[in-house]
């Protein structure tokens, strides 16, 4: 029963991240005068919405387990958001850089509002993992 609850919780978290990604794609496109097609909604938005969680695959193949400690380089908000914003703007367009950076920022905010772990919001100045509401996890 515990595995069913764990998978259900993970499924709800993924659903939230994908929904936010699709919503932001749909909301920001008119502001940048960008035309979207069906595959942006069905393929691009879901992949971007859960992109930081692809590091769970690395954890599974290297450690043969999946838990909340899968946060690697992909879960360092200042580094990833800035890199994606600048890289997306230079390689594609201001819309794509802004959309991906905003989607990932909200993904990280979602993680920091959960009760069991936080993220390195003050990297590179501090390696502690911070939660919202003043909670901190050392290490």
């Amino acid at each position: 029963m515990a595995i069913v609850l764990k998978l259900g919780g993970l499924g709800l978290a993924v659903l939230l991240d994908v929904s936010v990604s699709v919503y932001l794609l749909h909301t920001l496109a008119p502001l940048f005068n960008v035309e979207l097609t069906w595959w942006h909604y069905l393929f691009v938005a879901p992949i971007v919405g859960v992109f930081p969680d692809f590091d769970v695959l690395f954890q599974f193949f290297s450690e043969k387990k999946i838990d909340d400690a899968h946060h690697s380089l992909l879960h360092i908000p200042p580094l990833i958001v800035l890199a994606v914003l600048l890289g997306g703007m230079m390689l594609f367009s201001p819309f794509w850089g802004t959309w991906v950076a905003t989607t990932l920022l909200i993904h990280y905010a979602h993680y920091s509002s959960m009760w069991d772990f936080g993220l390195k919001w003050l990297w590179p100045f501090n390696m502690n993992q911070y939660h919202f509401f003043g909670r901190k996890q050392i290490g």
Side-chain angles (χ1 to χ4, degrees):
M1 182 64 166
I3 190 74
V4 172
L5 292 175
K6 179 84 170 174
L7 288 174
L10 292 172
L12 288 175
V14 166
L15 182 61
L16 177 65
D17 292 331
V18 169
S19 300
V20 165
S21 181
V22 169
Y23 173 76
L24 288 172
L25 180 72
H26 188 71
T27 304
L28 291 175
L31 298 175
F32 287 86
N33 201 22
V34 172
E35 294 245 354
L36 299 173
T37 60
W38 62 271
W39 59 273
H40 289 115
Y41 293 102
L42 291 179
F43 298 112
V44 177
I47 290 171
V48 170
V50 297
F51 179 75
D53 293 330
F54 286 162
D55 61 359
V56 77
L57 297 174
F58 300 124
Q59 182 194 33
F60 177 73
F61 289 116
S62 65
E63 301 174 23
K64 303 295 185 222
K65 67 176 184 174
I66 296 175
D67 60 18
D68 297 336
H70 70 270
H71 296 167
S72 67
L73 184 67
L74 294 177
H75 280 87
I76 300 176
L79 173 68
I80 299 301
V81 170
L82 185 62
V84 164
L85 180 65
L86 296 176
M89 286 182 165
M90 288 188 301
L91 295 175
F92 299 103
S93 72
F95 166 72
W96 293 108
T98 302
W99 169 64
V100 173
T102 306
T103 299
L104 295 182
L105 189 63
I106 292 178
H107 179 100
Y108 296 140
H110 170 219
Y111 266 38
S112 290
S113 66
M114 298 169 74
W115 293 106
D116 50 356
F117 50 86
L119 296 177
K120 297 173 182 160
W121 285 99
L122 299 178
W123 181 91
F125 308 107
N126 188 328
M127 294 304 287
N128 293 335
Q129 295 181 179
Y130 290 92
H131 306 256
F132 290 154
F133 314 114
R135 295 174 292 121
K136 176 176 76 169
Q137 177 180 330
I138 307 295

